[in-house]
């Protein structure tokens, strides 16, 4: 009894899910438009070092100009600037110094929300990752003042491994060093044009950046918050109407009427009409691809292709038009257009390769998801062959 109840519950659940999965028409589809944007951000920087964490925190700002090429892929020119800090412990004394910098760089950005969940311009939260490189231009380094003071106050520190010795990479003037960068970003939509954003990025440079000789790469990390302002229209919409139920029967039969002379025993000018032959002027087969994204023909559907070939051999003057389609509920217009073309071409290729039908008797067309010949969405994964 319990098994019966469980079975009935499963059937009921399946019915509910099936009903909820039905498409509602008309429906709106969003298409991504490439667009420019600017970012204005501010926050804090931590320069990796050996002294207290709070002693290595600096203010930080960033301005960026970007281009979103596709729903997933984009690029930006980001200029990060303010200052970095460093320090060392020498005996009971902590030496600290800072320097100013500006760091322009180019990043490639990847919107993971659109990649895994599909493009949706109304989504409130978007998560992205990015990676890039650029040049760090530093100046006004205070390390030489620190070294001079340390040597004057504690001349023994050089021999003991103190401040002056550990800062043997001290630099002055203006220095340009290449850096690599990677990070993550979260955007919260406020309107179609404005988003609030949070960003964390990590930057690595040569060992000489912080003036200390350590035998490894130097690092600084930025935590930023700010505005992202979209320039121009980021998407367009189109409405898909409910598909019309196709005419199921398009084959028709006509009779040819020809005049045939009667025997000479009848008046020579007299003629009678008689039935000559009955010809099908249209012959149609629907070759279905019931799995999304599929372009190869199942064995069950291959029989239909053979029927088309047999008909064309019986009627050597007829031609066939093969039209491919894709269902609008899967993929996007670009993908579906390519998919429908490959479906129609697969039928044409089988007619020529397997059954010897000449290419000049075959016309290939494709509609993508712009036309839905069947009411059931899954049936629109089809190539329709019509002989005339």
């Amino acid at each position: 009894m319990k098994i019966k109840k469980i079975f009935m519950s499963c059937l009921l659940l399946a019915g509910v899910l099936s009903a909820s999965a039905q498409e509602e028409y008309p429906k709106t589809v969003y298409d991504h438009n490439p667009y420019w944007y600017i970012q204005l951000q501010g926050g804090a920087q931590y320069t990796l070092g050996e002294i207290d964490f709070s002693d290595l925190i600096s203010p930080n700002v960033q301005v960026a100009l970007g281009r979103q090429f596709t729903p997933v892929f984009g690029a930006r020119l980001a200029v990060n600037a303010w200052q970095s800090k460093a320090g060392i412990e020498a005996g009971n004394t902590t030496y600290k110094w800072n320097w100013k910098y500006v760091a322009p760089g180019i990043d490639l950005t990847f919107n993971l929300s659109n990649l895994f969940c599909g493009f949706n311009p109304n989504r409130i939260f978007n998560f992205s990752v990015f990676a890039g490189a650029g040049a760090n231009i530093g100046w006004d380094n205070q390390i030489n003042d620190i070294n001079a003071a340390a040597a004057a106050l504690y001349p023994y520190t050089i021999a003991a491994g103190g401040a002056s010795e550990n800062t043997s990479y001290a630099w002055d003037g203006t220095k340009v060093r290449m850096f690599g960068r990677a990070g993550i970003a979260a955007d919260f939509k406020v309107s179609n044009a404005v988003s609030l954003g949070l960003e964390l990025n990590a930057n690595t440079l040569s060992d000489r950046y912080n003036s200390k000789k350590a035998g490894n790469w130097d690092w600084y990390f930025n935590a930023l918050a700010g505005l992202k302002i979209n320039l121009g229209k980021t998407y367009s919409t189109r409405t898909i109407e409910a598909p019309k139920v196709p005419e199921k029967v398009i084959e028709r039969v006509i009779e040819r009427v020809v005049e045939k002379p009667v025997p000479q025993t009848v008046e020579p000018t007299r003629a009678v009409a008689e039935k000559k032959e009955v010809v099908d002027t249209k012959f149609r087969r629907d070759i279905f691809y019931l799995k999304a994204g599929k372009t190869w023909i199942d064995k069950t559907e291959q029989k239909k292709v053979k029927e088309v070939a047999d008909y064309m051999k019986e009627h050597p003057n007829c031609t066939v038009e093969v039209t491919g389609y894709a269902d609008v509920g899967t993929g996007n217009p670009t993908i579906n257009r390519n998919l429908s073309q490959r479906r129609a071409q697969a039928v044409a290729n089988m007619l020529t390769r397997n059954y010897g039908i000449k290419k000049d008797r075959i016309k290939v067309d494709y509609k993508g998801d712009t036309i839905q010949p069947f009411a059931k969405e899954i049936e629109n994964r089809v190539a329709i062959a019509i002989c005339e």
Side-chain angles (χ1 to χ4, degrees):
M1 197 64 181
K2 289 183 178 180
I3 295 176
K4 183 178 180 181
K5 290 182 178 180
I6 294 173
F7 179 72
M8 294 301 294
S9 299
C10 291
L11 289 178
L12 180 61
L13 178 61
V16 171
L17 292 176
S18 175
S20 64
Q22 296 298 314
E23 294 279 2
E24 292 186 2
Y25 289 94
K27 67 178 182 178
T28 301
V29 176
Y30 299 104
D31 294 323
H32 174 268
N33 293 337
Y35 62 92
W36 293 94
Y37 64 86
I38 58 174
Q39 285 180 299
L40 306 172
Q41 299 169 295
Q45 178 185 110
Y46 168 69
T47 313
L48 189 64
E50 295 78 26
I51 63 175
D52 289 344
F53 180 86
S54 60
D55 291 331
L56 297 174
I57 299 296
S58 304
N60 193 256
V61 293
Q62 183 167 280
V63 178
L65 173 66
R67 175 77 166 171
Q68 193 68 36
F69 298 103
T70 72
V72 175
F73 173 70
R76 69 176 185 178
L77 170 63
V79 181
N80 185 264
W82 204 311
Q83 70 175 14
S84 293
K85 291 183 176 181
I88 56 174
E89 300 281 355
N92 295 323
T93 304
T94 299
Y95 295 94
K96 296 180 287 186
W97 62 95
N98 60 62
W99 61 97
K100 298 179 178 63
Y101 79 91
V102 61
I106 296 177
D107 298 320
L108 301 180
T109 64
F110 303 89
N111 187 316
L112 299 186
S113 297
N114 285 338
L115 176 62
F116 294 109
C117 302
F119 175 63
N120 180 6
N122 298 318
R123 183 181 292 117
I124 299 298
F125 172 78
N126 280 280
F127 180 77
S128 302
V129 297
F130 59 88
N136 183 292
I137 306 167
W139 72 93
D140 194 20
N141 191 3
Q142 301 172 1
I143 184 59
N144 289 322
D145 297 334
I146 296 296
N147 273 348
L153 293 175
Y154 306 102
Y156 58 84
T157 57
I158 295 178
S164 297
E165 182 178 340
N166 288 333
T167 56
S168 58
Y169 281 168
W171 55 270
D172 198 4
T174 300
K175 298 294 182 182
V176 180
R177 297 180 175 89
M178 300 304 296
F179 71 87
R181 174 168 57 205
I184 60 175
D187 292 311
F188 300 86
K189 178 182 175 182
V190 176
S191 68
N192 286 336
V194 178
S195 298
L196 299 177
L198 299 174
E199 177 178 325
L200 297 174
N201 62 59
N203 305 261
T204 185
L205 309 91
S206 74
D207 189 29
R208 295 179 178 271
Y209 181 64
N210 64 5
S211 298
K212 297 191 299 180
K213 184 177 182 180
N216 51 40
W217 291 87
D218 290 337
W219 291 82
Y220 62 82
F221 305 89
N222 297 322
L224 303 166
L227 291 175
K228 179 179 179 181
I229 304 172
N230 301 326
L231 307 177
K233 193 174 181 180
T234 61
Y235 67 95
S236 57
T237 60
R238 55 191 173 95
T239 301
I240 298 177
E241 301 294 338
K244 294 181 180 180
V245 178
E247 183 181 349
K248 294 297 184 178
V249 179
I250 62 173
E251 298 177 5
R252 61 184 180 183
V253 177
I254 65 170
E255 293 181 347
R256 285 184 185 171
V257 179
V258 297
E259 292 185 349
K260 181 179 179 181
V262 297
Q264 291 299 321
T265 55
V266 185
E267 296 179 8
T269 58
R270 184 182 175 191
V272 296
E274 69 175 18
K275 293 181 181 179
K276 179 64 176 177
E277 58 179 332
V278 177
V279 180
D280 291 339
T281 60
K282 284 192 177 181
F283 178 88
R284 165 174 168 166
R285 288 295 180 265
D286 303 336
I287 297 92
F288 291 102
Y289 303 81
L290 298 183
K291 292 183 180 180
K294 182 178 175 183
T295 59
W296 54 273
I297 305 172
D298 281 330
K299 289 185 178 180
T300 55
E301 302 302 302
Q302 290 177 11
K303 296 178 181 178
K304 298 178 181 178
V305 181
K306 183 178 183 302
E307 291 173 358
V308 174
D310 291 342
Y311 180 89
M312 296 184 73
K313 291 177 180 179
E314 293 174 4
H315 303 83
N317 293 325
C318 78
T319 61
V320 63
E321 181 173 356
V322 185
T323 306
Y325 301 86
D327 71 281
V328 74
T330 307
N332 59 49
T334 301
I335 293 174
N336 288 340
R337 182 175 176 81
N338 178 266
L339 189 60
S340 65
Q341 180 183 14
R342 290 163 59 196
R343 286 170 174 164
Q345 193 62 52
V347 175
N349 291 343
M350 180 169 285
L351 287 172
T352 56
R353 295 172 185 172
N354 293 24
Y355 302 108
I357 304 299
K358 294 183 178 180
K359 291 183 179 180
D360 59 5
R361 298 180 64 192
I362 304 172
K363 179 182 177 182
V364 174
D365 195 8
Y366 49 94
K367 304 297 183 182
D369 58 16
T370 59
I371 296 176
Q372 301 289 276
F374 294 102
K376 290 185 178 180
E377 188 171 280
I378 193 173
E379 293 182 353
N380 293 309
R381 305 165 187 169
V382 66
I384 297 177
I386 300 177
C387 300
E388 287 191 88

